[in-house]
Structures are given as structure tokens and as C-alpha cells.
Amino acid sequence: MSHPHHPALHLDGDTLLRQIQALGDIGRDENLGGRTRIAYTDAEKAGRDQLVRWMQQLDLSVQVDQIGNIFGTLPAANGSTDVRPLMLGSHIDTVQNAGALDGCYGVLAGLAVQRAYRQAGQLPARPITVAAFSNEEGVRFQPDMMGSLVHAGGLALQEALDSRDSDGIRLGDELQRIGYAGTLAAGSIVPHEYLELHIEQGPVLEAEGIAIGAVANLQGISWQQLTIRGKANHAGTTPLQLRHDAGWAAASIVTFVREWARQSGSTLATVGSLRFEPNLINVIPRQAVLTVDLRDPDESRLQQAEQALREFIAELEVNEQVSIHCEQLARFEPVHFTEPLVAEIERAARQRGLSCRRMTSGAGHDAQMIARITPAAMIFVPSRGGISHNPREHTDDAQLLQGAQLLLDVVARRLLA
């Protein structure tokens, strides 16, 4: 498949699919069926090493910055080094027991765009940089989307490097250990525009039989960790009215946020982690720690949900005689992408005869951070059953290639402008 304005540019789909498979094999657990490449672990280092080798095979200029973001740049036709690049990217770190596509697809499709230029013996009108941003998932070190957030100036480099995981290990030390504490100043590559190709991670495109999503905006995200402290006591001898039950308080919060979300009509609320101490069948919990994930495409509604949770917690402390400490783990406002880029995606889809719809992303992506510093947009392809962060994550090869071809089309068109 070639681009109508650049007949010599052809997508090498076979290589793209082979690379998706090869990267997906790194960190793979044959028993569980998925792969695990948590940021800054040995498995993720192996994925990074493979990506760098592929970049070198394309004779890209490869740079690593101080937070571990990897950049591979195809130079411009005029050889200029001071022209801001068109940037494509995503991430290659995963959650535990993940699918093979989340993040990786966008990075490798970016390489496929650069490969099309190399195989055509052409150079673009401005540099094309493929970025693999660090710690997008935020599994081990918070916040998520950390590498792109640091790149965009939303988080101080030193604060990120000083982050510690649950074992007390410092992020900066792990970055040094795996050999990806780069020397490029964080944020020094400011893109002319940014495009990110991604699987939807949701059911909308598949359910509606639509090939391409032109992502117009992303939901705002609020992550909180709540620590509830009560008093442990005997489950059989302590009357309900005399209890200071951290477990009951936690359950109350779980049901409250779910009911708030149901009534709001737009807010999403999830308690994804919950643990009790001492975690025994016949002991009233003295402590409960839970996380609350709130999301909404409207900032005012997201703030309303946060305020409602604060008020409920205050009442709960009085009524149940427990203490509740709230820690904000991450907070990102909704993002609206650049209209001309979103329209360009729609136009390119029409030219290919592909159905397309504008949509909101419910997940966080590196694009929402880079949108702080440059025009940005995203392309979605369908996810079977809307499943992601799971070994059953799947998009048909034909759909993957359609998305990559569309990315090439949009890039070629933007570099004509």
C-alpha cells in the first residue's frame, strides 16, 4: 500500500507484524499467556535493547534522555538539525501479564513510517522522530505517563528520579542499573506536531463496525489512595455499634463511588486495589488501603466527583469513628486534541474508504502530555471485545496494518504542508 501523494512510500506490513510479535515475546510468561515488562526492570531493558537495535538498523539518530525516554530520528532531506521534528510515539512498558499491542503498536508503527521513507530512498521535508516514552503504565513508580510528563515539563526531573517503588528502590538508581540514564536534557526535543497510533482498549469501534477512531479528546484522571485506620477486635464479641471497622468504611467508599458514577451519567469510578490488615476471617480490620480511580471528559464534573468523595469521607470518619488519609497519586485534566490534526485523520480515512468516527479516549496516553507543548492527535484501531491490559488483547492483523497505513498517509500529508 502506498500514499497517493507519495507513490514511492510503501508500508512494509510484514516487518511491522514480525516486530510486534518479537517485542511481544520479550517478558512473555508461557503459563499465563501474557508478557510483563514493568518499567525499569530487566525484562523492560531487554525490550529497550531490541527497540534500539531496530532503530539502528534504520540508521536513525538514537538518543536517550535523562528520564530514559528513547528517541530515534530520521533526518530531513535538507540535512537541517534545527528543524522541529514530526514526532510519532507511545511506550513499550507493560502492566503485569499484558497483551502485546498496548503502546508497542504505536512505537513500531512509527518505525514502519520511517522504514517506508528509507526503503523509498527518500528523506522527509522535516525530521521524523519516533519516541518510546518511559514508565507510561505507572505500575511500579507513580505517576503513570511519567516519561512524557517529564518531557512536557509537567513533572520535575529530579522528583521523578527520586520516586521509589513499594520496596523502597529509587527510580534513578534503576535507570542507571539498566543502562538507560541518558544524557539528553529532558524536554529538549520539542516536536512540530505529535501523532500517536494506538489500539482503542475499549469496545466502541468494534461494536459499531468502524475501522478508525479519530481521537478528539481524553478524559481527565484522578487517582487517589485512601488509608483507613480503625481498631482491630474480635469478630464475635464486638457489637456493631461499638466497632471502628476499617473494612466496613472501605466497603462504604466502594459503593459510594460506584453509585455516584452511575447517577452522574459521565463519570467513571473504579476501586482497583483493596487490602485489609490483619486480613483474618475472624478479626475486624484495623486498617484498609484502597485506590480510587475517577475519570470524566469534563473538568468541572471531575472536580464535582472529587468534592463529593471528600465530603463522604468526612462524614464516614465521624459516623464510623475511623481516620482516613487521602494521598493524590495522579491528577490530569481532560485534554482536547488539535482540530486540524483530528480533521486530517478523518480526511485520510475517507480517502482510503475507511469508516471513521470522532471519539473520546477513556485511557491515559502519552499524547495527552505531549499535547501540552505541541499540536497533537491520536488514531485508534478496534480492540476485540474492548479487552486490554490482558493476554486476550487482540486486534486483527488487517486492522493493525490499516491503522499503520493511515498513520503513514497522515505523516506524508503533514510533511507536504
Side-chain angles (χ1 to χ4, degrees):
M1 292 181 286
S2 62
H3 184 273
H5 299 288
H6 286 276
L9 292 180
H10 295 272
L11 181 76
D12 183 351
D14 290 341
T15 297
L16 172 57
L17 295 176
R18 282 199 303 270
Q19 289 187 346
I20 290 173
Q21 178 66 48
L23 187 55
D25 286 340
I26 296 175
R28 189 178 182 93
D29 186 317
E30 295 299 334
N31 294 321
L32 296 176
R35 70 278 307 140
T36 300
R37 292 192 307 274
I38 305 298
Y40 311 127
T41 60
D42 290 343
E44 203 236 0
K45 169 184 165 49
R48 287 168 170 266
D49 291 346
Q50 179 60 79
L51 176 63
V52 168
R53 285 193 294 270
W54 285 331
M55 287 179 166
Q56 291 169 340
Q57 289 170 10
L58 289 172
D59 197 22
L60 306 180
S61 170
V62 181
Q63 296 172 287
V64 180
D65 74 4
Q66 295 161 304
I67 194 62
N69 296 324
I70 301 171
F71 303 98
T73 300
L74 180 70
N78 63 7
S80 175
T81 58
D82 60 357
V83 176
R84 290 168 61 179
L86 175 62
M87 185 177 284
L88 315 172
S90 197
H91 64 97
I92 67 166
D93 67 308
T94 74
V95 297
Q96 186 84 20
N97 196 34
L101 299 174
D102 176 9
C104 305
Y105 172 47
V107 175
L108 298 179
L111 293 189
V113 169
Q114 294 172 318
R115 186 174 301 108
Y117 279 90
R118 283 298 194 204
Q119 291 178 346
Q122 297 183 8
L123 290 176
R126 69 170 61 246
I128 300 174
T129 296
V130 170
F133 291 108
S134 293
N135 191 32
E136 193 272 352
E137 296 293 1
V139 173
R140 185 181 179 195
F141 299 97
Q142 285 79 47
D144 57 342
M145 298 171 281
M146 180 185 283
S148 53
L149 183 61
V150 170
H151 184 83
L155 177 66
L157 172 66
Q158 196 58 51
E159 183 179 348
L161 294 175
D162 288 338
S163 300
R164 294 183 181 273
D165 66 11
S166 59
D167 295 321
I169 298 173
R170 180 176 173 272
L171 186 153
D173 295 338
E174 284 294 86
L175 202 52
Q176 289 279 356
R177 184 186 68 81
I178 67 171
Y180 279 89
T183 58
L184 179 69
S188 58
I189 300 177
V190 180
H192 170 68
E193 292 175 335
Y194 178 83
L195 292 166
E196 183 167 345
L197 175 62
H198 211 282
I199 59 169
E200 182 191 349
Q201 300 180 281
V204 175
L205 293 176
E206 182 189 48
E208 297 184 2
I210 294 174
I212 297 294
V215 184
N217 62 314
L218 282 83
Q219 294 191 112
I221 300 175
S222 174
W223 280 5
Q224 299 178 60
Q225 179 172 279
L226 310 181
T227 301
I228 306 170
R229 294 185 175 88
K231 292 182 181 178
N233 215 328
H234 196 291
T237 62
T238 311
L240 294 180
Q241 69 272 19
L242 298 180
R243 297 186 179 200
H244 307 276
D245 188 341
W248 169 253
S252 300
I253 292 171
V254 173
T255 56
F256 171 79
V257 297
R258 176 58 180 263
E259 183 59 21
W260 172 272
R262 189 188 66 79
Q263 293 182 3
S264 77
S266 65
T267 302
L268 297 176
T270 305
V271 174
S273 172
L274 172 60
R275 60 184 185 273
F276 294 140
E277 293 181 11
N279 203 35
L280 298 172
I281 191 171
N282 59 348
V283 178
I284 299 165
R286 67 169 174 268
Q287 179 170 289
V289 179
L290 67 156
T291 58
V292 177
D293 178 321
L294 299 173
R295 305 189 187 212
D296 199 290
D298 182 84
E299 173 64 18
S300 64
R301 291 196 297 263
L302 184 59
Q303 290 182 12
Q304 289 172 8
E306 291 172 315
Q307 179 61 27
L309 178 59
R310 284 192 293 269
E311 293 174 357
F312 181 77
I313 286 171
E315 294 177 4
L316 199 59
E317 286 183 304
V318 174
N319 294 338
E320 301 301 325
Q321 300 181 61
V322 295
S323 66
I324 305 176
H325 172 72
C326 304
E327 178 185 359
Q328 188 88 60
L329 298 179
R331 180 58 165 86
F332 302 120
E333 293 186 2
V335 172
H336 294 273
F337 287 132
T338 306
E339 171 58 30
L341 281 177
V342 178
E344 189 79 76
I345 293 165
E346 292 176 313
R347 184 162 47 248
R350 286 195 301 269
Q351 289 179 342
R352 287 279 171 189
L354 299 174
S355 54
C356 180
R357 65 158 286 173
R358 290 194 173 211
M359 60 192 308
T360 296
S361 173
H365 300 284
D366 292 310
Q368 76 187 77
M369 302 307 162
I370 305 306
R372 299 179 176 205
I373 59 173
T374 198
M378 293 188 71
I379 302 168
F380 274 176
V381 295
S383 296
R384 181 182 294 173
I387 296 170
S388 187
H389 286 184
N390 185 297
R392 293 185 293 127
E393 175 183 273
H394 178 83
T395 299
D396 290 343
D397 288 352
Q399 295 170 321
L400 294 173
L401 296 182
Q402 281 182 345
Q405 180 63 61
L406 194 74
L407 179 66
L408 176 57
D409 289 352
V410 173
V411 168
R413 183 67 176 262
R414 298 308 291 176
L415 294 182
L416 283 175

